[in-house]
Amino acid sequence: MTPHTALRPALALLLVSAAAAAQPEPEGQQPPAVDSAGDDAPVAPPPAAEPAPAAAAATPVFGFDATAYPPAAVSDRGAEPKPPREKPPVPRWQVFAGMRGAFVDDGGYNLFSERDFAGQGSLWGARTVYHSGDVSIAGALAFDASAHDSTIRGERTSLALYRLTLGPEVRLHFAPELYVYARPSAGVLRSVATLDESTTGSSLHSNGWLVAIDAFAGVAADVLDLSGERGELRFWVAAEGGYGWTSATDLRFLPDEDDASAPNRVAALDLGSLAQRGPGFRLAIGASF
Amino acid sequence: MRFLRTSSAALVVASAWLSGCGDRPDHWDKTVELPVKQLGLTGSVAVVDPSLDRVLMLGVASGQNLVSTPLGVGKNIVTAVASPDRGTLFVLSRGVQPRRNPEDERPSLTVIDGGLEPKRLARYSLTDPLQGLAIDPEGEWAVVFDAGGIVVNPNELILVNLKDAKAEPLSKTIRSFGGRPERLTFTSELAVPNGAPRRLLIVETGQDVTLVDLSAPTSDEVTIPLPKTPTGQPGKPAQVDFHDGDPDDPTDARIAIRLANDPNVMLAELGTPPSNEDKPFRVTLNVADVGGVPSDIAFVQTDGGLRLAALVPSGYRATLVDPSTTVTETVAFERPYSRLTRVTDSVTNKPIQSDVALLWSNSAVGVAFWSLGKTSGTPFRSVDPYDIGISVARVTNVPGDKYAHLKILESASAPEFYILDLDKRQSFPMLTNASGFTLDVSPDGERAWALRPGTPDFASITLSDLHPTSLTVERDVSAVHELARRDGGRAVLAIHAVYRDGHGALGATVLDALAPDTAKSRFYPGLMFGGLR
Amino acid sequence: MRRSRNDARVLRGVALVALGFLVHCADQSSEDSLGGGGGGGGGACIGPGCGAGANSATGGSSAGGSSGAAGAPPEQEIESSFRSPVATDRYVWTANPKSSRVARVDAVSFETRTFEAGYQPTFLVAVPAGSTGKDRALVINSGSDDATLFTMEPSSEVTLQSAPLHEGANSWTVSQDGRFAIAWSNFTQYPHADVTEGFQDVTVLDMTGSKLTSTRLSVGYRPSRIVIDAAGSQAFAVTEPGVTVIDLATSFGPTVSRDVPISDDPLVPARDVEITPDGAFAIVRRDGSADLGLVSLSDGQRVTLSLSGPVTDIDLTADGTRAVAVVRSPGSPAPPTDGGTVDAGADGAGESDAESDASDDASNDAAIADAGPPPAAKSSEVFVLPIPGVFTDPSLAAQVSIPGQTVGSVAIAESGTAAVLYTNATPNDHVTLLNLTPGGTSSYRTVTLKAPVLAAFPAPDGAHAIVLLSPGTGSTKAGAFGVVPITANLPPKIQGTDAPPIAVSIAPAPSSRAIVTTRSDSQKIYATYLTRLPELQVDRIGLASPPLASGMVPAASAAFVAQEHPEGRITFIDWIKGDARTLTGFELGAKVVQ
């Protein structure tokens, strides 16, 4: 499988997200006011955490707790300019899309790739569930998917991997725009391996469910803040690295039971086992809201 | 926007860079080239995998459970040969050529046990990349010859003593007058006038014959020139035979040489050397004209003594040559038999003094028994023809003693073959549904297997009662091999070889050999992946 | 038959060889000399109709016969040729003109060595060791007109020396002491030679010095025979006009000293000329003449002895002290002579009236010719003539009349103790054995062999004779021969053969073995018969290819038969065991590298 192939889903996701983010705002949907000083002007630090006034909760926009943010005064012509909207200290919801790369030195994987590198499209989302000071914790759900194909001694092989992990993301915010995080997670990996074997004239399959455990740490940076009155919309870039581990599954290829073209009583073709273990990284672009 | 574009580009570059990290083992990229050489051995089937410099030894543990044992051999396999008893496999490898680094592998000869527990028995490192391999039927020697390097010495032989795994191979360059070794024959032990009985290696080149003393390979060899043909062309050997002569006479061992396109046969007697020479023998040559270009020769024992029989199909006869006097006698045949097989040892009631031979030909229908006894002063008894309706292209022996009296006669074109009972002088036709069958006999000599390669059809014939069992598997079969099973039974492997999209693949169907039943067979795909991780 | 003296020169007692029929029928003049000679013989013709001049008497050359009785067929001659292998000690030498090599085969070990001779070595002869004590052989290289001498040194190495010859040499005469060899040209091998071709060149080789030297000389027209005297000092070339005398050992080298006429009419060639071993005399017989001439070769004086009828054959004993002359038809008219005649005495019993009536009357001759061959004469006469005494005192001649028997040819055993008398001019199955023991009474006895006699070969010891027979009417055999005890009064052993005999070889004295070789190309039957003497047992040994020549190798107790084969083939027969061993491919065998 070529690197480009592995990256296709990730790139697509990324581009779609980027395209969506780059769409001009439809009329009437003004982004929240931003610092008139421009994008480069330093952003006023968020006010110190104070107990939010027990004001009537404004209608949440973009899901944020509007009580943390004083409602923008209705401005009319000639009214005094509104004060700049303060960036929330921690993102509430985040969605990232990007690619995951893993260095998989596994014999089983060699059947499906000429390289020890597995690229996957990665999509994860997080919801901050706790915030205290500079630390926040979010629950993150990640989904990685990839498809690989190759040939072994001329016979075509293909492997589809689907990983779903869930875990907490512990963040340390240096600024509303920057935080580092660690995210241990666990989940499952579904492998679907196929071998087009010539003597049977059929496709032989070997599928498995694997336990997947990831331990990643990274950094995320707010690179574009388009938050406005209607709510927060910030764009992030995240990079993380870590280690992914899965259990192993035997690669025992057999034809489908309903494959009438395959010979009867085909012995399983044992080609070892498959496990996705090894260091990895993610690069993603996300948005928070 | 610019950021997004930049970020996307960065991701792509990073991925591309990262994708260059790490390679899988290159054995996955080595395709399988057809035809795949397979050799049936006693306890396993050897599948030669030149791409990966290994041999896959397929065995059957129990039932239809196939076990694949990959054994590495030297790099760049040149040839693989089974021993005549099918118990051992010899694999010749060229090594890394040309060698640039000290660690580049040298040529080698690997010896593999072909029994129930295949394993490497020995590996001999050689000095030069040679291409030919001749195996001693008695399992004592292997000779590597036929150079194929950049600078070649075509007359170099490398003798490997198979009895000693640690012995260094011995390199010997035989005398050359322009020819190069083409065929090697190992004799049995021959008595010589001066010294202990010994075995000789007969090396046929394009224009002479060399005798190498295997008891002292480093001593000078004997080079025998060949006469020119009647048309003036250099003589070329076509076949050799040997005989020890009278067991009580150490001076009458002989070697016969049939010459290509020449009515003459040569006899080389290993006679007494001059008293001032410390040699085991001295070769004395004789040339006999057999009256036509012979197609086959063999020493035969008649009541009149040892003779060299030469078949002359163009004359519908055989010529018996007295090796001492070169006086010839002619035996007329009704048909132009071109091949002769001594079957004396295969018949139950062996004649006391004289031989019995089976005569056959690919271009004449029928076979004949030729009894070489004596009657009325002529050294032959009778020629009994048997019209079996086919011309015989091949005669297969049945190993072992139990059915040694049976011979399997195959035709090149007819859709039938015969099982010939030498004792009863009966022949049993076995009809097939089409021509193009090949036949093989199981190593235990109990069954014969008939196969039409390229089809899913084959059959087993039990030699005890000549009962055939037809079998049709689910894929086309390229070869059938019977072997011993580790649990004491016997199994048969029907090998399927497929070529698709520029590469080959091998599979096998495993059945029980004693009671073959395709309803209880098991199919094993992807044999060439065996042992790869 | 004139052969016994020549055969007596066979080196080391190698048996006389009579060979047959492949090459041209050469006459007696191509035989070995008085002194030398080897064992092998060549091909010659046996039987009626072979060779040139079989039925006519031409200039001293042909295998003609006497024609004393008008229309009587001549006796047949048997000669040898030098294309055959020769034997020295235990070796057999054979020449291959195609490869220009000479092979030497050890008859005991069958080891073969080949040597490069000149171009196209063809004619071999064994050379007596003489004072050198070394085995030697000479070959004429036809292609390069030179000769090669092979000498076996004590170290077993073979040295080679060459010397030029005159062009066209095809025959050898070797002295008894092995010092001289004369290469000459036998004109009978060139049947279509122009009349101006005199074949007068001879080359004398001197083998005494360290260097082989050759001297070319010229003798009389068309020499038919050259002999060297026992002393090895002179050689005598029998030519059409006379005998040319060559002095061999002068200080100037060999020179032609004189030419001695042997008859008053030099234009009439003689039929047979026998020269005594000491070279003193020549005895001359002419076809149809009752006169025998004795010529002194030292001063040319001639004396004539007239016998009772045309002399059909004459032979000398080995020592040259006696001659046996045969008059097949005593009393037949003979041309006038110029010397004393011996009163042939009574014509003996059985003289044919038909023969006595035969006259110069041409019509009578024609009538007789028209009536077919005349009946054989009866009671031939044999004269035992002391040489040279009988020419001065004719009374010394001992006349032996053989009543009821017709004999026309004589062969004297090398021992000089017996002679075998027979005729092959007409079918006759009798041979008469004449006792020549000195002091004996010339007694004789006649034996019947059941088939017409072709030729007789006494053994050197005179105890037996091998007689070749022609299968008679009604016989299904292709040939036959008889083994005739001479000294013992025992019945002969008659052996039919499936092919005609072509060669006979008898071991030297004591002659215990003989081989008779047969050949039939049409039936492809080739065999040799090993004959044990005195047991008279005959064993047939088949041969793989057409035989060419045979001989004896006494040092190896073996006989050999050379055969046709592109690679060369010889069969050796062990006298003792009777085993045959064939060797084919001499040059191949010599090329084996061991």
Side-chain angles (χ1 to χ4, degrees):
Chain A
M1 179 184 129
T2 64
H4 300 288
T5 309
L7 289 174
R8 255 186 258 121
L11 279 176
L13 200 56
L14 190 62
L15 290 171
V16 166
S17 304
Q23 294 271 341
E25 294 177 351
E27 290 187 3
Q29 293 185 1
Q30 295 296 325
V34 297
D35 188 356
S36 59
D39 291 341
D40 295 63
V43 178
E50 293 176 356
T59 303
V61 177
F62 301 118
F64 287 94
D65 182 6
T67 58
Y69 306 94
V74 174
S75 64
D76 54 5
R77 292 191 185 275
E80 293 181 357
K82 297 189 171 78
R85 187 170 183 276
E86 287 190 5
K87 194 164 287 187
V90 297
R92 187 178 171 88
W93 289 98
Q94 281 176 305
V95 174
F96 282 90
M99 66 151 286
R100 173 180 175 153
F103 299 94
V104 182
D105 185 14
D106 177 63
Y109 184 67
N110 288 331
L111 275 61
F112 311 99
S113 173
E114 289 91 0
R115 302 285 179 259
D116 290 341
F117 175 77
Q120 295 177 294
S122 189
L123 187 69
W124 78 87
R127 168 69 161 89
T128 305
V129 296
Y130 171 80
H131 178 206
S132 172
D134 296 333
V135 175
S136 67
I137 298 175
L141 179 70
F143 177 74
D144 305 305
S146 63
H148 314 271
D149 59 73
S150 183
T151 60
I152 50 170
R153 307 206 75 180
E155 307 275 65
R156 280 197 293 270
T157 59
S158 62
L159 176 68
L161 296 171
Y162 309 99
R163 182 198 312 256
L164 188 68
T165 54
L166 176 70
E169 184 176 295
V170 179
R171 301 165 180 170
L172 176 63
H173 298 265
F174 296 109
E177 298 86 7
L178 182 69
Y179 64 89
V180 296
Y181 61 90
R183 187 193 321 113
S185 57
V188 292
L189 177 74
R190 173 71 171 159
S191 68
V192 178
T194 303
L195 167 65
D196 292 334
E197 203 278 328
S198 299
T199 59
T200 56
S202 303
S203 294
L204 308 182
H205 305 282
S206 176
N207 303 330
W209 289 98
L210 289 75
V211 173
I213 297 174
D214 289 338
F216 280 80
V219 59
D222 174 358
V223 296
L224 180 65
D225 188 350
L226 298 179
S227 303
E229 292 183 355
R230 297 193 63 170
E232 179 186 340
L233 179 61
R234 297 158 67 185
F235 292 92
W236 299 79
V237 170
E240 62 187 43
Y243 188 89
W245 181 94
T246 68
S247 58
T249 182
D250 290 333
L251 290 171
R252 290 171 54 82
F253 290 86
L254 285 165
D256 288 339
E257 286 185 1
D258 56 357
D259 186 350
S261 64
N264 291 310
R265 294 179 299 283
V266 175
L269 177 57
D270 185 350
L271 292 179
S273 62
L274 175 68
Q276 290 267 296
R277 298 170 187 171
F281 65 91
R282 279 199 181 91
L283 298 172
I285 301 172
S288 64
F289 47 87
Chain B
M1 182 66 63
R2 185 176 63 186
F3 163 75
L4 290 174
R5 286 199 293 271
T6 304
S7 302
S8 301
L11 279 174
V12 169
V13 167
S15 298
W17 176 72
L18 289 169
S19 67
C21 299
D23 286 333
R24 69 177 179 179
D26 57 6
H27 56 241
W28 293 116
D29 300 317
K30 301 284 177 69
T31 56
V32 177
E33 300 292 332
L34 287 186
V36 173
K37 185 164 187 176
Q38 315 139 42
L39 298 104
L41 304 171
T42 52
S44 42
V45 174
V47 178
V48 182
D49 192 357
S51 305
L52 299 185
D53 301 320
R54 65 176 188 165
V55 173
L56 284 171
M57 304 298 286
L58 306 177
V60 179
S62 63
Q64 284 81 41
N65 296 321
L66 187 71
V67 177
S68 174
T69 307
L71 296 174
V73 294
K75 290 189 187 304
N76 294 312
I77 296 173
V78 174
T79 187
V81 174
S83 61
D85 65 358
R86 293 157 75 167
T88 312
L89 179 72
F90 300 87
V91 183
L92 180 64
S93 306
R94 286 169 55 85
V96 175
Q97 299 295 332
R99 296 184 69 245
R100 302 282 187 223
N101 303 301
E103 59 270 16
D104 286 344
E105 193 176 288
R106 288 186 181 278
S108 62
L109 176 69
T110 307
V111 184
I112 294 173
D113 182 358
L116 294 172
E117 302 287 343
K119 56 181 178 294
R120 266 198 304 269
L121 294 174
R123 184 148 164 204
Y124 302 93
S125 181
L126 308 174
T127 53
D128 293 297
L130 304 180
Q131 301 180 115
L133 181 62
I135 302 298
D136 177 9
E138 296 186 20
E140 199 177 331
W141 293 95
V143 180
V144 187
F145 64 104
D146 192 10
I150 295 174
V151 174
V152 302
N153 177 3
N155 292 287
E156 182 181 25
L157 306 177
I158 298 183
L159 292 92
V160 180
N161 186 347
L162 300 176
K163 298 291 188 193
D164 184 356
K166 295 188 176 56
E168 285 294 319
L170 180 67
S171 174
K172 182 175 181 66
T173 297
I174 61 173
R175 225 174 269 120
S176 169
F177 295 95
R180 57 193 295 165
E182 295 181 2
R183 201 164 37 242
L184 277 62
T185 304
F186 295 83
T187 71
S188 56
E189 216 167 56
L190 302 177
V192 294
N194 197 10
R198 61 203 59 207
R199 303 182 63 206
L200 300 179
L201 173 66
I202 306 174
V203 182
E204 297 170 63
T205 73
Q207 58 189 55
D208 53 42
V209 170
T210 297
L211 308 180
V212 176
D213 186 346
L214 288 175
S215 67
T218 54
S219 59
D220 288 340
E221 68 275 15
V222 177
T223 307
I224 301 174
L226 302 179
K228 290 193 181 343
T229 67
T231 57
Q233 297 303 311
K236 188 176 162 66
Q239 180 191 3
V240 296
D241 195 13
F242 54 89
H243 198 278
D244 193 29
D246 185 346
D248 298 326
D249 185 354
T251 66
D252 66 347
R254 287 187 176 88
I255 292 164
I257 304 167
R258 176 168 68 91
L259 303 171
N261 303 315
D262 196 322
N264 291 307
V265 292
M266 282 185 70
L267 289 155
E269 185 178 279
L270 310 185
T272 305
S275 55
N276 59 343
E277 285 184 13
D278 185 25
K279 292 193 184 295
F281 56 84
R282 185 169 188 88
V283 169
T284 304
L285 289 184
N286 243 325
V287 177
D289 186 337
V290 297
V293 177
S295 57
D296 199 0
I297 58 170
F299 280 105
V300 292
Q301 203 65 248
T302 73
D303 285 353
L306 183 69
R307 297 288 184 271
L308 179 70
L311 297 189
V312 184
S314 61
Y316 282 59
R317 65 173 186 268
T319 302
L320 292 172
V321 181
D322 184 333
S324 295
T325 64
T326 65
V327 172
T328 60
E329 287 176 279
T330 302
V331 179
F333 298 142
E334 292 178 2
R335 302 218 169 116
Y337 300 113
S338 62
R339 296 298 305 276
L340 175 150
T341 302
R342 283 178 59 256
V343 295
T344 315
D345 295 332
S346 302
V347 296
T348 305
N349 296 322
K350 297 180 182 29
I352 296 173
Q353 269 187 295
S354 54
D355 276 326
V356 178
L358 180 69
L359 303 173
W360 45 283
S361 171
N362 193 17
S363 57
V365 171
V367 298
F369 286 95
W370 185 17
S371 300
L372 289 137
K374 187 171 183 177
T375 180
S376 303
T378 51
F380 54 89
R381 193 195 305 276
S382 66
V383 180
D384 296 329
Y386 282 79
D387 190 350
I388 58 173
I390 62 166
S391 58
V392 177
R394 194 166 84 124
V395 172
T396 303
N397 297 325
V398 176
D401 295 330
K402 191 173 177 187
Y403 299 111
H405 61 282
L406 299 179
K407 300 289 179 196
I408 300 177
L409 312 179
E410 297 176 56
S411 168
S413 55
E416 58 191 296
F417 60 93
Y418 279 75
I419 295 182
L420 184 65
D421 187 327
L422 298 175
D423 285 345
K424 298 176 187 166
R425 301 283 178 98
Q426 291 176 344
S427 55
F428 303 92
M430 309 298 286
L431 305 179
T432 67
N433 57 359
S435 60
F437 268 84
T438 61
L439 284 163
D440 193 20
V441 182
S442 63
D444 65 352
E446 295 274 354
R447 281 160 300 283
W449 295 89
L451 163 70
R452 200 147 59 90
T455 72
D457 308 316
F458 60 102
S460 121
I461 301 101
T462 311
L463 294 178
S464 58
D465 56 4
L466 301 184
H467 170 70
T469 303
S470 294
L471 303 160
T472 301
V473 292
E474 294 178 272
R475 293 292 181 270
D476 293 344
V477 178
S478 63
V480 171
H481 301 285
E482 184 183 316
L483 59 157
R485 231 165 45 193
R486 294 179 186 180
D487 63 355
R490 296 195 68 81
V492 61
L493 264 62
I495 304 293
H496 315 288
V498 174
Y499 190 77
R500 189 178 76 170
D501 295 335
H503 70 277
L506 221 64
T509 300
V510 180
L511 305 93
D512 185 285
L514 302 179
D517 183 358
T518 51
K520 297 179 184 175
S521 64
R522 184 176 289 185
F523 188 96
Y524 285 82
L527 293 180
M528 301 307 285
F529 298 129
L532 297 181
R533 293 292 181 265
Chain C
M1 154 141 58
R2 296 172 294 279
R3 194 180 57 253
S4 61
R5 184 168 63 224
N6 296 329
D7 296 328
R9 269 79 176 175
V10 170
L11 175 68
R12 303 190 184 187
V14 174
L16 76 99
V17 175
L19 301 172
F21 73 48
L22 289 179
V23 293
H24 310 292
C25 188
D27 71 351
Q28 74 286 356
S29 58
S30 63
E31 189 51 67
D32 278 352
S33 75
L34 302 172
C45 197
I46 300 178
C50 54
N55 291 311
S56 64
T58 58
S61 62
S62 73
S66 65
S67 57
E75 302 288 325
Q76 302 296 328
E77 302 289 346
I78 297 174
E79 298 299 335
S80 62
S81 91
F82 288 93
R83 292 177 184 269
S84 316
V86 298
T88 63
D89 191 33
R90 57 188 256 180
Y91 300 101
V92 174
W93 302 77
T94 177
N96 184 349
K98 286 184 184 172
S99 64
S100 293
R101 286 177 163 264
V102 170
R104 186 203 71 185
V105 183
D106 187 326
V108 174
S109 68
F110 306 112
E111 176 194 352
T112 304
R113 286 188 64 185
T114 59
F115 309 95
E116 285 198 11
Y119 187 44
Q120 294 178 337
T122 311
F123 305 102
L124 272 166
V125 70
V127 178
S131 59
T132 66
K134 300 174 183 174
D135 283 341
R136 294 177 293 175
L138 264 174
V139 69
I140 294 175
N141 304 306
S142 304
S144 51
D145 292 324
D146 58 10
T148 304
L149 174 68
F150 301 90
T151 304
M152 278 199 57
E153 303 296 341
S155 61
S156 298
E157 287 302 308
V158 175
T159 55
L160 279 65
Q161 289 179 288
S162 293
L165 302 177
H166 66 276
E167 185 181 341
N170 59 18
S171 299
W172 283 112
T173 298
V174 182
S175 65
Q176 212 170 16
D177 61 2
R179 181 182 169 184
F180 293 102
I182 301 177
W184 55 283
S185 305
N186 184 345
F187 72 93
T188 59
Q189 305 219 2
Y190 304 94
H192 304 294
D194 188 83
V195 68
T196 59
E197 282 282 348
F199 299 95
Q200 296 176 257
D201 290 332
V202 300
T203 306
V204 180
L205 297 179
D206 188 341
M207 297 178 280
T208 47
S210 58
K211 192 170 180 298
L212 180 68
T213 59
S214 64
T215 306
R216 287 171 57 173
L217 302 169
S218 188
V219 297
Y221 185 83
R222 295 202 174 176
S224 57
R225 197 172 185 199
I226 293 183
V227 298
I228 300 177
D229 65 9
S233 60
Q234 285 184 314
F236 306 91
V238 178
T239 67
E240 281 194 12
V243 175
T244 303
V245 180
I246 301 170
D247 290 330
L248 296 172
T250 72
S251 55
F252 303 105
T255 54
V256 174
S257 60
R258 59 190 178 282
D259 195 75
V260 179
I262 56 175
S263 75
D264 291 334
D265 185 353
L267 299 181
V268 176
R271 174 69 175 91
D272 280 325
V273 178
E274 294 287 336
I275 297 179
T276 58
D278 59 2
F281 300 98
I283 303 171
V284 183
R285 180 191 72 81
R286 270 190 264 148
D287 290 336
S289 171
D291 294 337
L292 281 179
L294 180 71
V295 181
S296 170
L297 294 176
S298 59
D299 58 14
Q301 285 193 10
R302 296 194 298 273
V303 174
T304 299
L305 176 67
S306 294
L307 302 183
S308 61
V311 180
T312 53
D313 196 11
I314 186 167
D315 204 0
L316 275 176
T317 57
D319 58 7
T321 58
R322 290 171 293 165
V324 175
V326 180
V327 176
R328 186 169 68 195
S329 305
S332 300
T337 64
D338 59 349
T341 60
V342 172
D343 182 3
D347 58 359
E351 181 176 358
S352 165
D353 288 340
E355 292 208 349
S356 64
D357 288 339
S359 65
D360 293 339
D361 187 339
S363 61
N364 281 341
D365 289 342
I368 291 171
D370 290 342
K378 301 284 188 186
S379 304
S380 300
E381 289 181 348
V382 176
F383 294 85
V384 182
L385 311 170
I387 303 295
V390 70
F391 288 89
T392 53
D393 182 3
S395 65
L396 294 175
Q399 179 178 344
V400 179
S401 184
I402 307 175
Q405 299 299 323
T406 302
V407 294
S409 296
V410 60
I412 300 179
E414 188 178 321
S415 62
T417 56
V420 179
L421 304 163
Y422 62 98
T423 180
N424 57 20
T426 54
N428 191 316
D429 64 349
H430 291 178
V431 293
T432 299
L433 309 172
L434 181 67
N435 183 3
L436 291 179
T437 305
T441 57
S442 296
S443 58
Y444 63 88
R445 65 185 172 91
T446 299
V447 296
T448 301
L449 297 177
K450 305 299 182 188
V453 174
L454 283 177
F457 304 87
D461 62 2
H464 300 83
I466 302 293
V467 181
L468 297 187
L469 308 172
S470 173
T473 306
S475 170
T476 59
K477 291 293 185 180
F481 65 92
V483 186
V484 182
I486 298 178
T487 52
N489 190 354
L490 295 171
K493 170 72 178 283
I494 299 168
Q495 175 71 44
T497 60
D498 42 14
I502 62 156
V504 174
S505 292
I506 308 178
S511 305
S512 63
R513 297 287 187 273
I515 58 169
V516 178
T517 304
T518 65
R519 171 173 177 166
S520 168
D521 287 346
S522 59
Q523 303 294 323
K524 290 197 173 12
I525 297 174
Y526 318 113
T528 191
Y529 293 79
L530 175 66
T531 304
R532 299 170 197 271
L533 311 170
E535 298 88 344
L536 306 187
Q537 290 299 299
V538 179
D539 296 319
R540 182 186 186 278
I541 298 162
L543 300 173
S545 43
L548 291 170
S550 66
M552 292 291 181
V553 191
S557 297
F560 71 86
V561 180
Q563 297 151 64
E564 283 184 11
H565 193 279
E567 303 287 345
R569 172 171 282 166
I570 292 183
T571 296
F572 291 92
I573 298 136
D574 186 312
W575 289 350
I576 313 298
K577 300 177 192 170
D579 296 339
R581 176 71 184 274
T582 298
L583 212 58
T584 307
F586 312 129
E587 296 187 25
L588 276 179
K591 288 178 190 171
V592 173
V593 183
Q594 307 196 64

